[in-house]
Amino acid sequence: MSHSPATRTTPFDTLLVANRGEIACRVMRTARAMGLRTVAVYSDADANARHVREADEAVRLGPAAARESYLNVAAVVEAAKRTGAGAIHPGYGFLSENGAFVEALDAAGITFVGPPASAIAAMGDKSAAKARMANAGVPLVPGYHGDDQDDALLRREADTIGYPVLLKASAGGGGKGMRVVESGEQFQAALDGCRRESQAAFGDQRMLIEKYLTQPRHVEVQVFCDRHGNGVYLFERDCSVQRRHQKVLEEAPAPGMTPELRRDMGEAAVRAAKEIGYVGAGTVEFLLDADGSFFFMEMNTRLQVEHPVTEMITGQDLVEWQLRVAMGEALPLAQEALTITGHSFEARLYAEDPEQDFLPATGTLTRFAMDLEGAGLDPERVRLDSGVATNDAVSMHYDPMLAKLIVHGDDREQALATLNRALAALDVQGVVTNRAFLQRLATHPAFKAVELDTRFIEKNEATLFAPRQYRIEEYAGAALVGLNQLARECESDSPWDRHDGFRLNAPHTIRIALCDPAHAQDDDDSEAVVVVEGRRERGTDTGWQLTIRGETLTASLQPLTGDAVAVTLNGHRRRLQARRDGNVVVMVDPSGETRLFWRRIDAIDHGHHEAESTLTAPMHGTVVALLVDTGQKVEKGMPLMVMEAMKMEHTMTAPADGHVASFHFQAGETVGQGDVLLEFVPEE
């Protein structure tokens, strides 16, 4: 049974965007194109953020903590009144699915660009939503969605459903408060962890349990409804490539869909939306099994992060649709007028370190750019939605997503090739990101072959994180980057200018050791270390003779735009991005990213660092729990303490057998990146 929407709608000329970062910038872009005045809101941490700089007006909400700023309903409503904003777009996250916020806007006479509070409530409680979907004839995954949250009962229900099961926060989303439980023995610890995450993220500890399908694909349908009874679906997206239940790569349309399956899923999604009286943009998420059966998972009552891939294949601006529906207009197009053209991918660029279990990263972006022209990319086919720019700070307080890279092609193969070239052209410095990991995903044979399910990263972990086997061309390129920078610095009074006999245009040989950064402390005669001898070619400014593993190459490096360079080896020229990040040379081209530790060994004694007996914080965050007592004997790998950063938990483990001599922080205290967390005494 549907419900008539109650949310106020009138035309408006000023739009407040109650969000930050990439989505705030993206919404304001369409609003300006429609002739609307834009208002940003910000916390103290975001006073100089890009979304603030781009808005016509901006209003401070409060301190950095989201609960005191972006989640402060009264402050957001007051900002709208203060600036004369007739409507508020919530973006995604924060207040986007908060029914109390919608009711507050109704009371204030401000239009909410989104569904009515009743629809948010219907889907916000996942247990109740399952029952509503069953009534609407939408297929469901077997599970427990009841109100009784007794630990023993939840364990019995999980045992009955059969492992593996998925524990999920009833009020949750975005991968928070969600864990796969493989056996009954793991259940209680997983339940405790999920409840802590759910309480921190949503203020609600209720859990639901679902049968965890072992090879499902995550396929979601974009729906849109207006206030005149019209509802359409704008086809589907495949979001199967995930880590910690957070999407990483998305594509549209979903590969392998038959017209019949597309129609069945689309119509089921529209039924789901109409069942709750939905208005605006929403996404109905399904699990698609290998046999073609599909099951309702949840509905996101907001615009999705991955909406651009739908825009790419349909040619529609979904934010413009949202704003027009909020003004009371009918949907721009009927179902039969909507068509699919080509294929699109979206890659989410996060400030995180995949090599360190995807730990969030913070810092200042010393460079954030993408050279489309230099990479030979069509700007009509490549789109970068970002909330940051060069010199912006990446804060510990919010989600680590920096930007979304969206590409379009005539078919999946062409779109994937464009994605790979665009990732190679993306130049981000100053903060560790997952850009190289995204390239490994995009070039993985299984991904190219559409061997997709929601455990794709786990199943292919061995190859996605395999030790690199470097080619002689990569060693040569890294050596050239280091040698040319060394030569430039030696022309000035830099610290590199040592009295060791090296002079420009002289025949002196420079010896360089190159290795994977993981082997940076290895001896120079280690098998993991390659020694390169470089000798400047007489009469040239850029030419070198390089000797690598007994092979001699004639080599040169020519700077291009930004960090782009042209490397020529024995007459073979290729273009790539190259830079030095400390002592690491980073090189990027469409085949992937190469990182090689660079040190000079003919004049500089680097030595090796002894292992320390302290554990330091890998990121800014909060201590959640101390798991052992001081003096307690522990084994290598045993959990010692739990930190939380960006709403996700991270467990610190013992580096060896031994004991903790002391903890420097207690539960609830905030720590900075690099802070010493505890003193650890290895067993002798």
Side-chain angles (χ1 to χ4, degrees), residues 636-660:
K636 181 179 180 180
M638 183 173 175
L640 302 179
M641 64 189 302
V642 179
M643 287 182 59
E644 184 210 58
M646 298 177 178
K647 300 181 182 179
M648 297 296 287
E649 288 192 355
H650 307 276
T651 301
M652 312 298 293
T653 60
D657 294 348
H659 69 273
V660 176

Side-chain angles (χ1 to χ4, degrees), residues 249-271:
L249 279 179
E250 300 104 343
E251 60 183 298
M257 294 285 287
T258 64
E260 294 77 19
L261 180 57
R262 175 171 290 125
R263 183 195 64 235
D264 290 347
M265 292 183 75
E267 291 178 352
V270 173
R271 287 200 308 274

